[in-house]
Amino acid sequence: AQSVTQPDIHITVSEGASLELRCNYSYGATPYLFWYVQSPGQGLQLLLKYFSGDTLVQGIKGFEAEFKRSQSSFNLRKPSVHWSDAAEYFCAVVPSGTYKYIFGTGTRLKVLA
Amino acid sequence: SAVISQKPSRDICQRGTSLTIQCQVDSQVTMMFWYRQQPGQSLTLIATANQGSEATYESGFVIDKFPISRPNLTFSTLTVSNMSPEDSSIYLCSAQGQGGSYEQYFGPGTRLTVT
């Protein structure tokens, strides 16, 4: 079945440490790919997106993500995490030929001071 | 990008009543969406709302329970009808970017508690 998987439900990192959040999808053609962040009590904010071209995309707040076709992955990274990055992160996919988002289950990030 | 506001931001309602949630976009958009986010869960699409046509509902959601209006290109409402405690969720609206862009911009959400 078509799906979006975020294997890590919770991740805890220390402030200043690097971060990688995983996202895998199972669709035949390369979909459009997105990462969103949801801070407590807030809506979703778009961090970055991939449609085509360069497989390493830069986003806001110092985040980047790399699309790897061979692994059907779109992992989010940040070299140095700040306490304000503590939030829920969602990977979303728009399968080719559609316009609807399919969301992953989310990864809750906790940052230790 | 688009800036989206929702009203109310939260509400506590009695079972059996209805609540209408408003969603306002600061620019004209073709496609708007309504999502439900149950506690600790991801987002589930309820329906797609296009101006000038009936909303398109996803499997498991019906118009009688979640009627949607889309009177113009900047506004939409979602009504949660005959509420039960199982309807306690965050309801979010979003708008799709213009120019063939697939990205969506989200409102802050409406946190609904049904007692």
Side-chain angles (χ1 to χ4, degrees):
Chain A
Q2 298 179 326
S3 65
V4 179
T5 303
Q6 293 181 244
D8 304 303
I9 298 174
H10 297 280
I11 283 187
T12 300
V13 299
S14 298
E15 191 170 20
S18 63
L19 172 70
E20 181 168 28
L21 304 182
R22 296 181 289 164
C23 175
N24 294 93
Y25 63 90
S26 60
Y27 296 94
T30 299
Y32 300 121
L33 300 158
F34 305 85
W35 274 100
Y36 283 84
V37 60
Q38 185 179 34
S39 298
Q42 305 290 317
L44 276 70
Q45 182 180 21
L46 178 65
L47 286 174
L48 46 76
K49 62 193 178 192
Y50 175 78
F51 290 169
S52 64
D54 192 347
T55 56
L56 183 64
V57 294
Q58 302 296 320
I60 62 171
K61 304 186 179 195
F63 286 93
E64 67 178 26
E66 185 171 15
F67 168 62
K68 292 185 177 180
R69 185 188 308 274
S70 62
Q71 299 177 20
S72 296
S73 69
F74 188 57
N75 295 347
L76 182 71
R77 300 194 295 245
K78 187 170 185 178
S80 177
V81 170
H82 188 263
W83 63 267
S84 61
D85 293 323
E88 184 102 27
Y89 291 80
F90 291 97
C91 177
V93 163
V94 175
S96 178
T98 78
Y99 58 84
K100 298 178 188 177
Y101 274 22
I102 309 296
F103 279 93
T105 49
T107 298
R108 184 169 296 277
L109 174 66
K110 181 177 180 180
V111 180
L112 301 176
Chain B
S1 66
V3 177
I4 299 172
S5 58
Q6 284 184 236
K7 289 195 296 187
S9 59
R10 59 177 63 227
D11 207 341
I12 301 173
C13 301
Q14 303 259 345
R15 71 172 67 208
T17 62
S18 298
L19 176 73
T20 295
I21 302 168
Q22 298 178 11
C23 180
Q24 180 75 52
V25 189
D26 70 341
S27 57
Q28 293 184 337
V29 295
T30 303
M31 303 187 77
M32 295 181 71
F33 305 88
W34 287 98
Y35 291 86
R36 182 175 72 185
Q37 185 178 24
Q38 294 178 301
Q41 306 274 326
S42 186
L43 282 77
T44 301
L45 180 63
I46 297 172
T48 302
N50 290 334
Q51 194 267 337
S53 63
E54 295 281 336
T56 304
Y57 289 83
E58 297 301 302
S59 176
F61 297 97
V62 295
I63 187 171
D64 289 347
K65 176 67 176 178
F66 297 102
I68 287 171
S69 78
R70 180 79 199 274
N72 57 51
L73 292 173
T74 63
F75 188 78
S76 179
T77 67
L78 169 76
T79 299
V80 186
S81 302
N82 189 25
M83 289 184 284
S84 67
E86 293 70 38
D87 295 318
S88 298
S89 290
I90 298 172
Y91 292 86
L92 298 108
C93 73
S94 72
Q96 189 177 72
Q98 296 284 47
S101 162
Y102 286 87
E103 65 234 50
Q104 293 182 23
Y105 299 95
F106 286 81
T110 296
R111 184 179 294 271
L112 171 61
T113 302
V114 183
T115 61

